[in-house]
Amino acid sequence: MAGKIYIIGAGPGDPKNRTLRMLEAMKESDVVVAYTTYAELVKDLLDGKEVITARMKEELLRAKVAIKKALEGHTVAVISSGDPQVYGMASPTLEMMCANNINVDVEIIPGVTAALAAAAKLGSPLSMDFAVISLSDLLVPADEILYRVRKAAEGDFVIALYNPINKPLLIKAMEIISEYRKAETPVGIIKSAYRDNEEVIVTNLKEWNNFMDKINMITIMIVGNSKTYVCNGKMITPRGYTSRYDYVNAFNS
């Protein structure tokens, strides 16, 4: 009898940001499949379980192992940081099952994705429409990524950039955004959100590249839209209430 696969979002790193359902699924699982770094994030939940780890770029290996273990009757937890649907393990696992005509019970356990975790550290930059774009060109051509960046900038979306590890591609992306936004547009740079050595920086489109040494695989960048501003050190993207209400009068009434 086939088992079950939980594809789990472990959140940004701090155990306080795990969901109750994630903890329940981990408890029910007897096999855990994870990228080595993600296994470290949940190491306190691994006692008594078979733990299978893989390196970066071995996502398909992780998916294959999880499916085979489930077919053997195990309950398997496949770990993603953040949310498993957002550049995580949900898609490759489901795609591999579909391609091989395998139908195993699967439950996706949502988690706090990096854009939301990073935005919370900055204030409220994602209060209105926003776009999330990965700058990793391992699977998606750079030209396609830059096309998406341009369309998001044209649409005046707040833009959250994941995986800004390719510095030349990052620079090109920020140059495109700068064509549509003023130099003072707020930019948040968050390194290691909710993990050790966390750094939170609020800068702008003119000066963001002064912090290039803070940008790596575990950095999220959030670029404000035309209305985003900074007050009391926090990035704020207005929801539009001021078009109908006066905050001062509302507070003093």
Side-chain angles (χ1 to χ4, degrees), residues 64-77:
K64 179 179 75 171
V65 169
I67 295 166
K68 288 189 173 183
K69 284 289 184 178
L71 289 172
E72 293 171 4
H74 294 281
T75 300
V76 185

Side-chain angles (χ1 to χ4, degrees), residues 144-247:
E144 188 173 331
I145 293 170
L146 294 176
Y147 174 82
R148 293 172 182 172
V149 170
R150 183 172 296 279
K151 291 304 179 182
E154 284 180 355
D156 201 27
F157 289 95
V158 176
I159 303 173
L161 298 173
Y162 279 55
N163 303 315
I165 189 66
N166 183 332
K167 297 299 175 63
L169 183 57
L170 170 61
I171 291 169
K172 289 179 183 177
M174 296 298 279
E175 288 174 348
I176 289 171
I177 296 170
S178 295
E179 294 176 23
Y180 301 89
R181 311 273 164 91
K182 60 187 179 182
E184 294 75 26
T185 299
V187 174
I189 300 172
I190 311 89
K191 180 181 178 183
S192 302
Y194 297 91
R195 302 186 192 183
D196 294 338
N197 304 314
E198 174 188 273
E199 295 185 67
V200 179
I201 297 161
V202 177
T203 181
N204 56 46
L205 268 179
K206 181 180 179 180
E207 299 179 349
W208 74 271
N209 55 4
N210 293 333
F211 304 95
M212 194 71 80
D213 62 323
K214 306 296 184 183
I215 299 171
N216 60 19
M217 272 290 288
I218 52 175
T219 301
I220 298 292
M221 297 178 64
I222 297 181
V223 184
N225 68 9
S226 62
K227 296 180 175 63
T228 305
Y229 63 98
V230 177
C231 183
N232 297 326
K234 302 292 187 183
M235 286 178 65
I236 303 170
T237 300
R239 286 190 58 195
Y241 285 107
T242 53
S243 65
R244 299 185 64 180
Y245 305 102
D246 183 330
Y247 276 118

Side-chain angles (χ1 to χ4, degrees), residues 20-191:
L20 292 176
R21 185 64 187 125
M22 176 266 189
L23 295 174
E24 290 173 351
M26 287 295 293
K27 186 175 181 180
E28 293 171 18
S29 302
D30 61 286
V31 176
V32 176
V33 180
Y35 167 48
T36 306
T37 299
Y38 301 161
E40 186 67 19
L41 293 178
V42 296
K43 62 182 180 181
D44 57 308
L45 304 175
L46 300 179
D47 285 352
K49 304 182 187 301
E50 180 184 1
V51 180
I52 303 169
T53 59
R55 296 171 296 180
M56 183 66 74
K57 301 181 184 179
E58 293 184 335
E59 290 84 2
L60 296 187
L61 173 61
R62 280 181 265 159
K64 179 179 75 171
V65 169
I67 295 166
K68 288 189 173 183
K69 284 289 184 178
L71 289 172
E72 293 171 4
H74 294 281
T75 300
V76 185
V78 181
I79 307 298
S80 287
S81 65
D83 184 282
Q85 300 175 84
V86 184
Y87 312 120
M89 285 300 299
S91 175
T93 305
L94 294 175
E95 287 184 80
M96 183 169 284
M97 288 173 56
C98 183
N100 290 279
N101 197 29
I102 296 170
N103 187 12
V104 174
D105 187 15
V106 176
E107 182 177 342
I108 312 296
I109 310 294
V112 179
T113 189
L116 301 182
K121 291 291 183 177
L122 292 168
S124 189
L126 304 183
S127 299
M128 278 295 288
D129 303 326
F130 64 94
V132 176
I133 300 173
S134 172
L135 293 183
S136 172
D137 58 348
L138 294 176
L139 300 175
V140 179
D143 288 347
E144 188 173 331
I145 293 170
L146 294 176
Y147 174 82
R148 293 172 182 172
V149 170
R150 183 172 296 279
K151 291 304 179 182
E154 284 180 355
D156 201 27
F157 289 95
V158 176
I159 303 173
L161 298 173
Y162 279 55
N163 303 315
I165 189 66
N166 183 332
K167 297 299 175 63
L169 183 57
L170 170 61
I171 291 169
K172 289 179 183 177
M174 296 298 279
E175 288 174 348
I176 289 171
I177 296 170
S178 295
E179 294 176 23
Y180 301 89
R181 311 273 164 91
K182 60 187 179 182
E184 294 75 26
T185 299
V187 174
I189 300 172
I190 311 89
K191 180 181 178 183

